[in-house]
Amino acid sequence: MKKFFVLAVALLIGGSAFAATSQFTATATFAGSADFTFTLRNVNGDAVAQNLEWTSADAFVMGSTTTWVRADQYAVVAATITKANASVKMYTKNKANNNALQPNYNSWNGDTGVTGTETYGALVRAGGTGGPYRGYIPVFYSLVPAKNASLTFNGTDVATEARADRALVDQANGEYGNGNYATIASLNGPVFFVKDTNNNDVQFPSPQVQNNTAYMYFFGGFKDVIGGDTYSTTVYVEQSWD
């Protein structure tokens, strides 16, 4: 990080009977930097991957009880950010790409069916129009400080310096901008969370992270799957250096 310090001094001395005056401006400017990489790798074999997939038979859940299944890939999230207002967000544009999509109101955002809790962020069934029944397969990610291929997920948000579980959100979600829910990296690196005194999530750079690198595992919540179904979405990882 480059640091700049500028000192400008103006000294005025006159011949009057009044005392001399002086003034100066002191400025410190810190440019900062923002380096980020997001790399998908196969859980088995660790080869670099291009897409996120679920091929396990465990994902073929025909019943109405949600089963959380880990994807075949994970992501290496490396972020060295010292620049103010720099951040990285991860989200979908399902609603923007299909205005006919109906929202889903899931248990993890209140299941209230009121404005502000709707969600479109998930895998969307091809040929469908969304909605609560067979419209979506919700996706959560778990951000952890170290590789852990045996990681599991039970559908509950976790907010600690050791693990951050968050739903994949859509830009049209009611909670998209709430507490930077879509942010995965910001000042000081990958974003973890802690709870404040009001039980609200606060972004926090985990001291457990080594070399500014964390690991992200993805879990799909499968139920009501029928043979021949295809669910998919495009995930955007957006870097913003304001």
Side-chain angles (χ1 to χ4, degrees):
M1 179 179 69
K2 296 182 179 179
K3 300 180 180 179
F4 302 89
F5 183 79
V6 179
L7 176 65
V9 177
L11 179 62
L12 307 175
I13 300 178
S16 68
F18 296 100
T21 62
S22 64
Q23 66 183 39
F24 65 89
T25 299
T27 303
T29 302
F30 304 91
S33 63
D35 299 314
F36 174 80
T37 60
F38 186 95
T39 307
L40 282 178
R41 290 184 174 274
N42 292 328
V43 173
N44 296 325
D46 216 38
V48 174
Q50 299 300 317
N51 296 299
L52 192 64
E53 298 177 324
W54 280 262
T55 59
S56 170
D58 293 337
F60 198 168
V61 180
M62 298 181 67
S64 59
T65 300
T66 300
T67 298
W68 294 95
V69 181
R70 191 199 65 210
D72 299 341
Q73 289 74 34
Y74 74 101
V76 181
V77 182
T80 303
I81 300 175
T82 59
K83 183 178 178 62
N85 300 320
S87 66
V88 180
K89 293 183 182 295
M90 185 172 69
Y91 56 88
T92 64
K93 295 181 180 179
N94 293 331
K95 179 64 171 177
N97 292 332
N98 182 357
N99 194 51
L101 276 182
Q102 298 301 307
N104 189 14
Y105 298 94
N106 297 294
S107 58
W108 51 83
N109 61 16
D111 199 20
T112 59
V114 300
T115 301
T117 66
E118 62 275 308
T119 178
Y120 304 88
L123 306 182
V124 181
R125 184 166 61 88
T129 56
Y133 177 68
R134 300 185 63 242
Y136 302 92
I137 292 174
V139 175
F140 267 73
Y141 70 83
S142 296
L143 193 66
V144 291
K147 288 184 182 180
N148 184 0
S150 62
L151 203 66
T152 60
F153 179 70
N154 63 6
T156 303
D157 282 9
V158 174
T160 71
E161 65 181 32
R163 178 170 176 171
D165 291 336
R166 288 291 178 268
L168 178 64
V169 298
D170 194 84
Q171 281 189 322
N173 277 29
E175 78 274 24
Y176 173 74
N178 183 18
N180 296 315
Y181 198 88
T183 301
I184 61 173
S186 62
L187 190 64
N188 296 320
V191 169
F192 286 73
F193 295 85
V194 293
K195 296 288 187 180
D196 64 14
T197 55
N198 294 319
N199 204 39
N200 296 316
D201 291 343
V202 179
Q203 290 183 7
F204 188 82
S206 174
Q208 298 185 28
V209 170
Q210 301 295 313
N211 300 317
N212 296 308
T213 301
Y215 303 87
M216 182 180 292
Y217 293 86
F218 301 87
F219 297 88
F222 294 87
K223 69 174 182 178
D224 298 321
V225 174
I226 296 176
D229 281 349
T230 299
Y231 290 78
S232 66
T233 190
T234 299
V235 180
Y236 299 84
V237 178
E238 178 185 54
Q239 306 173 36
S240 175
W241 313 144
D242 295 333

